[in-house]
Every structure is written in structure tokens, then in C-alpha cells.
Short mmCIF file of all heavy atoms in Angstrom, two decimals:
data_model
loop_
_atom_site.label_atom_id
_atom_site.label_comp_id
_atom_site.label_asym_id
_atom_site.label_seq_id
_atom_site.Cartn_x
_atom_site.Cartn_y
_atom_site.Cartn_z
N MET X 1 0.83 -1.21 0.00
CA MET X 1 0.00 0.00 0.00
C MET X 1 0.86 1.25 0.00
O MET X 1 1.83 1.34 0.73
CB MET X 1 -0.94 0.00 1.21
CG MET X 1 -2.41 -0.08 0.78
SD MET X 1 -3.51 -0.01 2.20
CE MET X 1 -3.44 1.75 2.59
N ASN X 2 0.49 2.18 -0.80
CA ASN X 2 1.24 3.43 -0.89
C ASN X 2 0.60 4.48 0.02
O ASN X 2 -0.54 4.87 -0.18
CB ASN X 2 1.24 3.91 -2.34
CG ASN X 2 2.09 5.16 -2.52
OD1 ASN X 2 2.80 5.58 -1.60
ND2 ASN X 2 2.03 5.75 -3.69
N SER X 3 1.35 4.92 1.01
CA SER X 3 0.78 5.89 1.96
C SER X 3 1.51 7.22 1.91
O SER X 3 1.39 8.03 2.80
CB SER X 3 0.81 5.32 3.38
OG SER X 3 2.15 5.06 3.74
N ILE X 4 2.29 7.42 0.86
CA ILE X 4 3.02 8.68 0.73
C ILE X 4 2.05 9.80 0.35
O ILE X 4 1.23 9.65 -0.56
CB ILE X 4 4.13 8.57 -0.33
CG1 ILE X 4 5.13 7.50 0.08
CG2 ILE X 4 4.83 9.92 -0.52
CD1 ILE X 4 6.14 7.16 -1.00
N GLU X 5 2.16 10.93 1.07
CA GLU X 5 1.31 12.07 0.77
C GLU X 5 2.15 13.21 0.20
O GLU X 5 3.26 13.44 0.64
CB GLU X 5 0.58 12.53 2.03
CG GLU X 5 -0.48 11.55 2.48
CD GLU X 5 -1.26 12.08 3.67
OE1 GLU X 5 -0.65 12.75 4.52
OE2 GLU X 5 -2.47 11.81 3.75
N TYR X 6 1.58 13.90 -0.76
CA TYR X 6 2.26 15.04 -1.37
C TYR X 6 1.44 16.29 -1.12
O TYR X 6 0.22 16.23 -1.02
CB TYR X 6 2.42 14.83 -2.88
CG TYR X 6 3.17 13.56 -3.23
CD1 TYR X 6 2.47 12.41 -3.57
CD2 TYR X 6 4.56 13.54 -3.23
CE1 TYR X 6 3.16 11.24 -3.89
CE2 TYR X 6 5.25 12.39 -3.55
CZ TYR X 6 4.54 11.23 -3.88
OH TYR X 6 5.22 10.09 -4.19
N VAL X 7 2.12 17.42 -1.04
CA VAL X 7 1.41 18.69 -0.88
C VAL X 7 1.06 19.24 -2.25
O VAL X 7 1.93 19.48 -3.08
CB VAL X 7 2.27 19.71 -0.09
CG1 VAL X 7 1.52 21.03 0.02
CG2 VAL X 7 2.61 19.16 1.29
N CYS X 8 -0.22 19.44 -2.46
CA CYS X 8 -0.71 19.95 -3.74
C CYS X 8 -0.31 21.41 -3.91
O CYS X 8 -0.45 22.21 -2.99
CB CYS X 8 -2.23 19.79 -3.78
SG CYS X 8 -2.99 20.55 -5.21
N VAL X 9 0.19 21.76 -5.10
CA VAL X 9 0.63 23.14 -5.34
C VAL X 9 -0.55 24.08 -5.53
O VAL X 9 -0.41 25.29 -5.44
CB VAL X 9 1.55 23.23 -6.58
CG1 VAL X 9 2.84 22.48 -6.35
CG2 VAL X 9 0.85 22.75 -7.83
N MET X 10 -1.73 23.53 -5.79
CA MET X 10 -2.90 24.36 -6.03
C MET X 10 -3.65 24.68 -4.74
O MET X 10 -3.95 25.83 -4.46
CB MET X 10 -3.86 23.66 -6.99
CG MET X 10 -3.30 23.47 -8.38
SD MET X 10 -3.07 25.06 -9.22
CE MET X 10 -2.23 24.49 -10.69
N CYS X 11 -3.96 23.66 -3.95
CA CYS X 11 -4.79 23.87 -2.77
C CYS X 11 -4.01 23.76 -1.47
O CYS X 11 -4.51 24.11 -0.41
CB CYS X 11 -5.96 22.89 -2.77
SG CYS X 11 -5.47 21.17 -2.66
N GLY X 12 -2.77 23.25 -1.55
CA GLY X 12 -1.95 23.16 -0.35
C GLY X 12 -2.32 22.01 0.56
O GLY X 12 -1.77 21.87 1.65
N GLN X 13 -3.23 21.15 0.11
CA GLN X 13 -3.65 20.01 0.91
C GLN X 13 -2.72 18.83 0.67
O GLN X 13 -2.14 18.69 -0.40
CB GLN X 13 -5.08 19.60 0.53
CG GLN X 13 -6.12 20.68 0.77
CD GLN X 13 -6.34 20.95 2.25
OE1 GLN X 13 -6.58 20.04 3.04
NE2 GLN X 13 -6.24 22.21 2.63
N LYS X 14 -2.60 17.98 1.67
CA LYS X 14 -1.83 16.75 1.51
C LYS X 14 -2.73 15.68 0.93
O LYS X 14 -3.78 15.36 1.51
CB LYS X 14 -1.28 16.29 2.86
CG LYS X 14 -0.07 17.06 3.30
CD LYS X 14 0.47 16.47 4.59
CE LYS X 14 1.59 17.35 5.14
NZ LYS X 14 1.90 16.95 6.53
N GLU X 15 -2.32 15.16 -0.21
CA GLU X 15 -3.13 14.14 -0.88
C GLU X 15 -2.23 13.02 -1.37
O GLU X 15 -1.05 13.21 -1.61
CB GLU X 15 -3.87 14.74 -2.08
CG GLU X 15 -4.83 15.86 -1.73
CD GLU X 15 -6.11 15.36 -1.08
OE1 GLU X 15 -6.35 14.13 -1.12
OE2 GLU X 15 -6.85 16.18 -0.54
N LYS X 16 -2.84 11.85 -1.51
CA LYS X 16 -2.08 10.70 -2.02
C LYS X 16 -2.25 10.56 -3.53
O LYS X 16 -1.34 10.12 -4.22
CB LYS X 16 -2.58 9.41 -1.35
CG LYS X 16 -2.19 9.33 0.11
CD LYS X 16 -2.86 8.13 0.77
CE LYS X 16 -2.71 8.19 2.27
NZ LYS X 16 -3.56 7.23 2.96
N GLU X 17 -3.45 10.89 -4.00
CA GLU X 17 -3.75 10.70 -5.41
C GLU X 17 -3.58 12.01 -6.17
O GLU X 17 -4.10 13.04 -5.74
CB GLU X 17 -5.19 10.21 -5.59
CG GLU X 17 -5.51 8.96 -4.79
CD GLU X 17 -4.82 7.73 -5.34
OE1 GLU X 17 -4.62 7.66 -6.56
OE2 GLU X 17 -4.47 6.84 -4.54
N GLY X 18 -2.88 11.93 -7.30
CA GLY X 18 -2.73 13.12 -8.11
C GLY X 18 -1.70 12.92 -9.20
O GLY X 18 -1.25 11.81 -9.45
N ILE X 19 -1.34 14.03 -9.84
CA ILE X 19 -0.37 13.96 -10.93
C ILE X 19 0.77 14.94 -10.68
O ILE X 19 0.62 15.90 -9.92
CB ILE X 19 -1.03 14.31 -12.29
CG1 ILE X 19 -1.78 15.64 -12.21
CG2 ILE X 19 -1.98 13.20 -12.73
CD1 ILE X 19 -2.08 16.24 -13.56
N PHE X 20 1.88 14.69 -11.36
CA PHE X 20 3.02 15.59 -11.27
C PHE X 20 3.17 16.35 -12.58
O PHE X 20 3.23 15.76 -13.65
CB PHE X 20 4.31 14.81 -10.99
CG PHE X 20 4.45 14.43 -9.54
CD1 PHE X 20 4.00 13.20 -9.10
CD2 PHE X 20 5.00 15.32 -8.64
CE1 PHE X 20 4.11 12.84 -7.76
CE2 PHE X 20 5.12 14.98 -7.30
CZ PHE X 20 4.68 13.74 -6.86
N ILE X 21 3.20 17.68 -12.46
CA ILE X 21 3.43 18.51 -13.63
C ILE X 21 4.63 19.40 -13.34
O ILE X 21 4.62 20.15 -12.36
CB ILE X 21 2.19 19.37 -13.96
CG1 ILE X 21 1.02 18.47 -14.34
CG2 ILE X 21 2.50 20.35 -15.08
CD1 ILE X 21 -0.27 19.21 -14.61
N GLN X 22 5.65 19.30 -14.18
CA GLN X 22 6.84 20.13 -14.01
C GLN X 22 7.39 20.04 -12.59
O GLN X 22 7.82 21.02 -12.01
CB GLN X 22 6.52 21.59 -14.34
CG GLN X 22 6.06 21.81 -15.76
CD GLN X 22 7.18 21.59 -16.77
OE1 GLN X 22 8.31 22.01 -16.55
NE2 GLN X 22 6.90 20.91 -17.86
N GLY X 23 7.36 18.85 -12.02
CA GLY X 23 7.92 18.65 -10.69
C GLY X 23 7.01 19.08 -9.56
O GLY X 23 7.34 18.93 -8.40
N GLY X 24 5.84 19.60 -9.90
CA GLY X 24 4.87 19.99 -8.88
C GLY X 24 3.73 19.00 -8.82
O GLY X 24 3.33 18.44 -9.84
N PHE X 25 3.22 18.79 -7.62
CA PHE X 25 2.14 17.83 -7.45
C PHE X 25 0.79 18.54 -7.48
O PHE X 25 0.60 19.58 -6.85
CB PHE X 25 2.30 17.12 -6.10
CG PHE X 25 1.19 16.16 -5.79
CD1 PHE X 25 1.08 14.93 -6.43
CD2 PHE X 25 0.23 16.50 -4.84
CE1 PHE X 25 0.05 14.06 -6.14
CE2 PHE X 25 -0.81 15.61 -4.54
CZ PHE X 25 -0.89 14.39 -5.19
N ILE X 26 -0.12 17.97 -8.25
CA ILE X 26 -1.49 18.48 -8.29
C ILE X 26 -2.43 17.34 -7.92
O ILE X 26 -2.41 16.28 -8.56
CB ILE X 26 -1.84 19.03 -9.69
CG1 ILE X 26 -0.96 20.25 -10.00
CG2 ILE X 26 -3.32 19.44 -9.76
CD1 ILE X 26 -1.12 20.78 -11.40
N CYS X 27 -3.20 17.54 -6.87
CA CYS X 27 -4.06 16.46 -6.38
C CYS X 27 -5.21 16.20 -7.36
O CYS X 27 -5.53 17.02 -8.21
CB CYS X 27 -4.58 16.78 -4.98
SG CYS X 27 -5.86 18.04 -4.92
N ASP X 28 -5.80 15.03 -7.17
CA ASP X 28 -6.92 14.60 -8.02
C ASP X 28 -8.03 15.64 -8.09
O ASP X 28 -8.57 15.92 -9.15
CB ASP X 28 -7.49 13.30 -7.46
CG ASP X 28 -7.18 12.12 -8.37
OD1 ASP X 28 -6.38 12.30 -9.31
OD2 ASP X 28 -7.72 11.03 -8.14
N ASN X 29 -8.38 16.21 -6.94
CA ASN X 29 -9.47 17.17 -6.89
C ASN X 29 -9.18 18.39 -7.75
O ASN X 29 -10.02 18.85 -8.52
CB ASN X 29 -9.71 17.63 -5.44
CG ASN X 29 -10.12 16.47 -4.55
OD1 ASN X 29 -10.68 15.49 -5.01
ND2 ASN X 29 -9.81 16.58 -3.27
N CYS X 30 -7.96 18.91 -7.62
CA CYS X 30 -7.60 20.11 -8.36
C CYS X 30 -7.47 19.81 -9.85
O CYS X 30 -7.82 20.64 -10.67
CB CYS X 30 -6.30 20.69 -7.83
SG CYS X 30 -6.48 21.40 -6.19
N GLU X 31 -6.96 18.63 -10.15
CA GLU X 31 -6.83 18.25 -11.55
C GLU X 31 -8.20 18.26 -12.22
O GLU X 31 -8.38 18.79 -13.32
CB GLU X 31 -6.18 16.87 -11.66
CG GLU X 31 -5.73 16.54 -13.06
CD GLU X 31 -5.66 15.05 -13.31
OE1 GLU X 31 -5.57 14.27 -12.35
OE2 GLU X 31 -5.72 14.66 -14.49
N LYS X 32 -9.18 17.68 -11.53
CA LYS X 32 -10.54 17.65 -12.06
C LYS X 32 -11.10 19.05 -12.19
O LYS X 32 -11.81 19.38 -13.15
CB LYS X 32 -11.45 16.82 -11.14
CG LYS X 32 -11.33 15.34 -11.44
CD LYS X 32 -12.23 14.54 -10.50
CE LYS X 32 -11.73 13.10 -10.39
NZ LYS X 32 -11.94 12.53 -9.06
N GLU X 33 -10.78 19.89 -11.20
CA GLU X 33 -11.28 21.26 -11.23
C GLU X 33 -10.71 22.05 -12.40
O GLU X 33 -11.41 22.82 -13.05
CB GLU X 33 -10.95 21.95 -9.90
CG GLU X 33 -12.20 22.32 -9.14
CD GLU X 33 -11.91 23.28 -8.03
OE1 GLU X 33 -11.18 22.92 -7.08
OE2 GLU X 33 -12.40 24.42 -8.11
N ILE X 34 -9.43 21.85 -12.64
CA ILE X 34 -8.78 22.56 -13.76
C ILE X 34 -9.44 22.18 -15.07
O ILE X 34 -9.74 23.04 -15.90
CB ILE X 34 -7.27 22.23 -13.81
CG1 ILE X 34 -6.56 22.80 -12.59
CG2 ILE X 34 -6.65 22.78 -15.10
CD1 ILE X 34 -5.14 22.31 -12.41
N VAL X 35 -9.69 20.89 -15.22
CA VAL X 35 -10.30 20.41 -16.46
C VAL X 35 -11.69 21.02 -16.65
O VAL X 35 -12.11 21.33 -17.76
CB VAL X 35 -10.38 18.86 -16.44
CG1 VAL X 35 -11.21 18.35 -17.61
CG2 VAL X 35 -8.98 18.26 -16.48
N GLN X 36 -12.40 21.21 -15.52
CA GLN X 36 -13.79 21.68 -15.60
C GLN X 36 -13.90 23.20 -15.63
O GLN X 36 -14.96 23.74 -15.94
CB GLN X 36 -14.58 21.16 -14.39
CG GLN X 36 -14.91 19.67 -14.52
CD GLN X 36 -15.44 19.10 -13.22
OE1 GLN X 36 -15.67 19.82 -12.25
NE2 GLN X 36 -15.63 17.79 -13.19
N THR X 37 -12.78 23.88 -15.31
CA THR X 37 -12.84 25.33 -15.22
C THR X 37 -12.82 25.97 -16.61
O THR X 37 -12.02 25.60 -17.46
CB THR X 37 -11.65 25.85 -14.39
OG1 THR X 37 -11.68 25.22 -13.12
CG2 THR X 37 -11.75 27.36 -14.21
N GLU X 38 -13.70 26.92 -16.82
CA GLU X 38 -13.73 27.64 -18.09
C GLU X 38 -12.54 28.59 -18.18
O GLU X 38 -12.08 29.13 -17.17
CB GLU X 38 -15.02 28.47 -18.18
CG GLU X 38 -16.29 27.65 -18.05
CD GLU X 38 -16.62 26.87 -19.32
OE1 GLU X 38 -16.26 27.36 -20.40
OE2 GLU X 38 -17.22 25.79 -19.23
N VAL X 39 -12.07 28.81 -19.40
CA VAL X 39 -10.89 29.65 -19.61
C VAL X 39 -11.14 31.07 -19.10
O VAL X 39 -10.25 31.73 -18.58
CB VAL X 39 -10.51 29.67 -21.10
CG1 VAL X 39 -9.33 30.61 -21.34
CG2 VAL X 39 -10.15 28.27 -21.57
N GLN X 40 -12.39 31.55 -19.26
CA GLN X 40 -12.69 32.93 -18.83
C GLN X 40 -12.95 33.02 -17.32
O GLN X 40 -13.15 34.10 -16.80
CB GLN X 40 -13.88 33.50 -19.61
CG GLN X 40 -15.17 32.74 -19.43
CD GLN X 40 -15.37 31.69 -20.53
OE1 GLN X 40 -14.44 31.05 -20.98
NE2 GLN X 40 -16.59 31.53 -20.98
N ASP X 41 -12.92 31.88 -16.66
CA ASP X 41 -13.16 31.85 -15.22
C ASP X 41 -11.96 32.45 -14.48
O ASP X 41 -10.81 32.26 -14.87
CB ASP X 41 -13.37 30.40 -14.77
CG ASP X 41 -14.06 30.32 -13.41
OD1 ASP X 41 -13.59 31.00 -12.47
OD2 ASP X 41 -15.04 29.58 -13.30
N GLU X 42 -12.28 33.17 -13.39
CA GLU X 42 -11.23 33.78 -12.57
C GLU X 42 -10.28 32.71 -12.00
O GLU X 42 -9.08 32.89 -11.91
CB GLU X 42 -11.88 34.55 -11.42
CG GLU X 42 -10.92 35.45 -10.67
CD GLU X 42 -10.67 36.76 -11.41
OE1 GLU X 42 -11.30 37.00 -12.46
OE2 GLU X 42 -9.84 37.52 -10.93
N LYS X 43 -10.86 31.57 -11.66
CA LYS X 43 -10.08 30.48 -11.06
C LYS X 43 -9.04 29.93 -12.03
O LYS X 43 -7.96 29.52 -11.64
CB LYS X 43 -11.03 29.34 -10.64
CG LYS X 43 -11.05 29.10 -9.15
CD LYS X 43 -11.64 27.76 -8.81
CE LYS X 43 -13.13 27.69 -9.05
NZ LYS X 43 -13.71 26.40 -8.69
N TYR X 44 -9.42 29.91 -13.30
CA TYR X 44 -8.52 29.36 -14.32
C TYR X 44 -7.22 30.13 -14.36
O TYR X 44 -6.14 29.56 -14.49
CB TYR X 44 -9.22 29.40 -15.69
CG TYR X 44 -8.48 28.64 -16.77
CD1 TYR X 44 -8.69 27.26 -16.93
CD2 TYR X 44 -7.60 29.27 -17.63
CE1 TYR X 44 -8.02 26.56 -17.91
CE2 TYR X 44 -6.93 28.58 -18.62
CZ TYR X 44 -7.14 27.22 -18.76
OH TYR X 44 -6.48 26.54 -19.73
N ARG X 45 -7.35 31.45 -14.24
CA ARG X 45 -6.16 32.30 -14.26
C ARG X 45 -5.25 31.99 -13.07
O ARG X 45 -4.03 32.05 -13.17
CB ARG X 45 -6.55 33.78 -14.25
CG ARG X 45 -6.64 34.35 -15.65
CD ARG X 45 -6.73 35.85 -15.62
NE ARG X 45 -8.09 36.28 -15.31
CZ ARG X 45 -8.42 37.53 -15.07
NH1 ARG X 45 -7.52 38.47 -15.10
NH2 ARG X 45 -9.66 37.84 -14.81
N TYR X 46 -5.87 31.70 -11.95
CA TYR X 46 -5.11 31.33 -10.76
C TYR X 46 -4.35 30.03 -11.00
O TYR X 46 -3.17 29.92 -10.67
CB TYR X 46 -6.06 31.18 -9.56
CG TYR X 46 -5.40 30.60 -8.34
CD1 TYR X 46 -4.55 31.38 -7.54
CD2 TYR X 46 -5.61 29.28 -7.97
CE1 TYR X 46 -3.94 30.85 -6.43
CE2 TYR X 46 -5.00 28.73 -6.85
CZ TYR X 46 -4.16 29.52 -6.09
OH TYR X 46 -3.55 28.97 -5.00
N PHE X 47 -5.02 29.06 -11.58
CA PHE X 47 -4.37 27.79 -11.88
C PHE X 47 -3.17 27.99 -12.79
O PHE X 47 -2.09 27.45 -12.56
CB PHE X 47 -5.36 26.83 -12.55
CG PHE X 47 -6.41 26.28 -11.62
CD1 PHE X 47 -7.72 26.14 -12.05
CD2 PHE X 47 -6.08 25.88 -10.34
CE1 PHE X 47 -8.69 25.63 -11.21
CE2 PHE X 47 -7.05 25.36 -9.49
CZ PHE X 47 -8.36 25.24 -9.92
N ILE X 48 -3.37 28.75 -13.85
CA ILE X 48 -2.30 28.99 -14.82
C ILE X 48 -1.11 29.68 -14.14
O ILE X 48 0.04 29.36 -14.40
CB ILE X 48 -2.82 29.85 -15.99
CG1 ILE X 48 -3.89 29.07 -16.77
CG2 ILE X 48 -1.69 30.26 -16.92
CD1 ILE X 48 -3.41 27.76 -17.36
N GLN X 49 -1.45 30.62 -13.25
CA GLN X 49 -0.40 31.34 -12.55
C GLN X 49 0.44 30.39 -11.69
O GLN X 49 1.66 30.49 -11.64
CB GLN X 49 -1.02 32.42 -11.67
CG GLN X 49 -0.07 33.56 -11.38
CD GLN X 49 -0.81 34.88 -11.36
OE1 GLN X 49 -1.83 35.01 -10.72
NE2 GLN X 49 -0.30 35.87 -12.06
N GLN X 50 -0.25 29.48 -11.01
CA GLN X 50 0.46 28.50 -10.18
C GLN X 50 1.36 27.61 -11.04
O GLN X 50 2.48 27.30 -10.68
CB GLN X 50 -0.54 27.63 -9.42
CG GLN X 50 -1.38 28.40 -8.42
CD GLN X 50 -0.54 28.99 -7.31
OE1 GLN X 50 -0.22 30.17 -7.34
NE2 GLN X 50 -0.18 28.20 -6.33
N LEU X 51 0.85 27.22 -12.19
CA LEU X 51 1.62 26.37 -13.09
C LEU X 51 2.83 27.12 -13.64
O LEU X 51 3.92 26.57 -13.76
CB LEU X 51 0.74 25.89 -14.25
CG LEU X 51 -0.25 24.78 -13.90
CD1 LEU X 51 -1.15 24.47 -15.10
CD2 LEU X 51 0.48 23.52 -13.46
N LYS X 52 2.64 28.39 -13.94
CA LYS X 52 3.73 29.22 -14.46
C LYS X 52 4.87 29.29 -13.46
O LYS X 52 6.04 29.27 -13.82
CB LYS X 52 3.23 30.62 -14.78
CG LYS X 52 2.82 30.79 -16.22
CD LYS X 52 2.63 32.27 -16.52
CE LYS X 52 1.85 32.46 -17.80
NZ LYS X 52 1.22 33.79 -17.83
N GLN X 53 4.50 29.39 -12.18
CA GLN X 53 5.52 29.46 -11.14
C GLN X 53 6.35 28.18 -11.11
O GLN X 53 7.55 28.20 -10.86
CB GLN X 53 4.87 29.70 -9.78
CG GLN X 53 4.58 31.18 -9.57
CD GLN X 53 3.88 31.44 -8.25
OE1 GLN X 53 3.75 30.55 -7.41
NE2 GLN X 53 3.43 32.65 -8.07
N LEU X 54 5.68 27.06 -11.37
CA LEU X 54 6.40 25.79 -11.41
C LEU X 54 7.36 25.76 -12.59
O LEU X 54 8.50 25.31 -12.48
CB LEU X 54 5.42 24.63 -11.55
CG LEU X 54 4.57 24.31 -10.32
CD1 LEU X 54 3.58 23.22 -10.67
CD2 LEU X 54 5.44 23.88 -9.16
N TRP X 55 6.88 26.27 -13.72
CA TRP X 55 7.74 26.27 -14.91
C TRP X 55 8.95 27.17 -14.68
O TRP X 55 10.06 26.83 -15.07
CB TRP X 55 6.94 26.77 -16.12
CG TRP X 55 6.00 25.74 -16.67
CD1 TRP X 55 6.27 24.42 -16.81
CD2 TRP X 55 4.65 25.92 -17.11
NE1 TRP X 55 5.17 23.79 -17.32
CE2 TRP X 55 4.17 24.66 -17.53
CE3 TRP X 55 3.83 27.03 -17.21
CZ2 TRP X 55 2.88 24.50 -18.03
CZ3 TRP X 55 2.54 26.86 -17.72
CH2 TRP X 55 2.08 25.60 -18.12
N LEU X 56 8.73 28.31 -14.05
CA LEU X 56 9.84 29.23 -13.79
C LEU X 56 10.85 28.60 -12.84
O LEU X 56 12.04 28.73 -13.02
CB LEU X 56 9.29 30.53 -13.21
CG LEU X 56 8.53 31.43 -14.18
CD1 LEU X 56 7.94 32.61 -13.44
CD2 LEU X 56 9.44 31.91 -15.30
N LYS X 57 10.32 27.90 -11.83
CA LYS X 57 11.20 27.26 -10.84
C LYS X 57 12.09 26.22 -11.47
O LYS X 57 13.20 25.99 -11.04
CB LYS X 57 10.32 26.60 -9.75
CG LYS X 57 10.45 27.29 -8.39
CD LYS X 57 9.91 26.41 -7.29
CE LYS X 57 8.41 26.56 -7.13
NZ LYS X 57 7.87 25.70 -6.07
N ASN X 58 11.56 25.55 -12.50
CA ASN X 58 12.30 24.45 -13.11
C ASN X 58 13.01 24.87 -14.39
O ASN X 58 13.59 24.04 -15.07
CB ASN X 58 11.34 23.30 -13.41
CG ASN X 58 10.88 22.63 -12.12
OD1 ASN X 58 11.61 21.89 -11.50
ND2 ASN X 58 9.66 22.92 -11.72
N ALA X 59 12.93 26.15 -14.70
CA ALA X 59 13.55 26.62 -15.95
C ALA X 59 15.09 26.64 -15.80
O ALA X 59 15.59 26.85 -14.71
CB ALA X 59 13.04 28.00 -16.31
ZN1 ZN T 1 -5.19 20.22 -4.74
#
């Protein structure tokens, strides 16, 4: 059983299930939210901003 928890870069919660993008962990909940968020949504911009920070960190 895998009991390792990662801190999600989007919500800051510790989760076991999720994906890694550019070395950052995004939990299952946030991943689903990103997919469902409309581009013109205020939240979408926040997500993109968080992702950009990851890209900059790993550049
Ligand atoms: Zn999350």
C-alpha cells in the first residue's frame, strides 16, 4: 500500500492521489477542477499562474 502524501501546489492540501506537472504535485481534486474550469473563469487564471511558477522554478 502506498501511503506517501504530497502537498498539492494548487490547494496546499496533503493528498495521495494526483499527478506531477513540471515537478509539482497536483491532487486529483484540483486536476478535475482545472479540467472543468472555463478559460474565462477567474479560477482558471489562478491555476495557470500556479503552473507558471512551477515552470519558472524548473527553468
Ligand atoms: Zn489540490
Side-chain angles (χ1 to χ4, degrees):
M1 245 182 76
N2 184 8
S3 60
I4 299 171
E5 289 185 324
Y6 303 97
V7 178
C8 173
V9 295
M10 295 293 174
C11 63
Q13 299 292 308
K14 282 185 187 167
E15 299 285 347
K16 290 173 191 168
E17 306 289 328
I19 52 162
F20 281 93
I21 296 177
Q22 299 291 318
F25 177 74
I26 296 174
C27 74
D28 250 9
N29 298 333
C30 290
E31 193 205 339
K32 277 179 203 146
E33 244 194 295
I34 293 169
V35 171
Q36 286 168 6
T37 304
E38 302 284 330
V39 177
Q40 61 266 37
D41 199 310
E42 192 79 5
K43 244 197 289 181
Y44 190 86
R45 266 192 281 172
Y46 171 76
F47 288 140
I48 295 300
Q49 205 143 49
Q50 296 296 100
L51 285 175
K52 265 192 197 158
Q53 278 178 8
L54 289 175
W55 283 319
L56 288 175
K57 248 196 275 180
N58 290 285

